[in-house]
Amino acid sequence: MPLLGPADPLPHVPRRVLVAGNAGSGKSTLCRRIAEQHDLRRVELDSLYWGPRWTPRPEFHTEVAAFAREDHWVTEYQYKVARPALLARADTVVWLDHRFPVVMGRLVSRTIRRRAAGVELWNGNQEPSLWSAFTDSGHILRWGWKSYRRNRARVLALVDDVVVVRLRGQAQVERWLSGPLASVGEERAR
């Protein structure tokens, strides 16, 4: 299947959508916007994965498999254990392929903002101390840095299996939402 761009028409109405991209690329925000625009169930994988004190929840895989069997949803394409079940059912992958400086800038500012405001993320968890980025190899800032190239390769490998829409930069995201995605929504409403 060809890799679609922000102006390319979609071959179908997306019903089960995965949003791929690096940490900080805007996956959760785009999931929310797609869900609102097309009345899809939005499932935030981080809320299913993380239990109190940043411990993985044992129910995660079972919960992902259950919602993946549903007919209409949108979620992030992340977590190695979840990807096979999600990809087996997805009909569309939207790839936020923003440039590395953009992604890291967003990730740093989001992390600082959440930490400063004491935002509760999932199941009582908060962003760890910014200083722990120097000592914790799993800190979100280090994770974002290390996983950028790996994420790109992972998504490019999907092109033969599922419709992949590649969006590079926020202007392309907005163009796709108001163009091809809105157009298939209008067709469905008719």
Side-chain angles (χ1 to χ4, degrees), residues 8 17 25 35 40-41 46 60 86 104 111 141 144 150 153-154:
D8 294 325
V17 182
S25 63
L40 300 176
R41 178 178 178 212
D46 283 331
F60 176 69
L86 295 171
M104 287 309 296
T111 302
L141 297 179
R150 209 173 35 229
R154 183 180 299 120

Side-chain angles (χ1 to χ4, degrees), residues 134-160:
F134 298 107
T135 59
D136 177 5
S137 64
H139 192 282
I140 189 66
L141 297 179
R142 288 174 74 169
W143 176 257
W145 184 277
K146 292 186 297 189
S147 62
Y148 184 78
R149 287 186 187 194
R150 209 173 35 229
N151 282 328
R152 296 185 90 235
R154 183 180 299 120
V155 177
L156 283 170
L158 302 177
V159 172
D160 292 334

Side-chain angles (χ1 to χ4, degrees), residues 11-185:
H12 57 260
V13 176
R15 299 187 190 294
R16 292 175 302 280
V17 182
L18 294 172
V19 178
N22 206 62
S25 63
K27 295 184 302 294
S28 297
T29 300
L30 185 55
C31 283
R32 179 182 45 77
R33 293 181 70 188
I34 292 170
E36 290 169 358
Q37 188 170 341
H38 281 274
D39 196 28
L40 300 176
R41 178 178 178 212
R42 177 180 167 245
V43 179
E44 189 174 14
L45 288 186
D46 283 331
S47 70
L48 297 180
Y49 186 80
W50 292 113
R53 295 179 299 286
W54 294 107
T55 57
R57 294 177 59 249
E59 308 89 347
F60 176 69
H61 188 268
T62 304
E63 292 173 351
V64 168
F67 91 74
R69 288 190 295 270
E70 295 177 12
D71 288 333
H72 302 90
W73 47 259
V74 58
T75 193
E76 303 89 357
Y77 186 59
Q78 57 188 20
Y79 294 107
K80 186 177 184 177
V81 68
R83 284 188 208 114
L86 295 171
L87 190 57
R89 295 278 297 146
D91 58 38
T92 307
V93 173
V94 181
W95 177 22
L96 295 174
D97 185 25
H98 303 321
R99 294 179 313 114
F100 182 74
V102 170
V103 170
M104 287 309 296
R106 285 180 173 186
L107 185 58
V108 168
S109 66
R110 179 188 83 182
T111 302
I112 291 170
R113 189 175 57 252
R114 285 177 173 176
R115 179 66 186 175
V119 173
E120 181 180 321
L121 299 173
W122 311 280
N123 299 308
N125 296 307
Q126 294 182 335
E127 292 283 2
S129 157
L130 294 175
W131 293 111
S132 66
F134 298 107
T135 59
D136 177 5
S137 64
H139 192 282
I140 189 66
L141 297 179
R142 288 174 74 169
W143 176 257
W145 184 277
K146 292 186 297 189
S147 62
Y148 184 78
R149 287 186 187 194
R150 209 173 35 229
N151 282 328
R152 296 185 90 235
R154 183 180 299 120
V155 177
L156 283 170
L158 302 177
V159 172
D160 292 334
D161 302 323
V162 66
V163 171
V164 177
V165 178
R166 182 183 192 186
L167 305 175
R168 304 196 72 178
Q170 196 60 38
Q172 288 192 3
V173 170
E174 299 305 327
R175 183 176 182 189
W176 182 74
L177 284 168
S178 64
L181 188 64
S183 295
V184 294

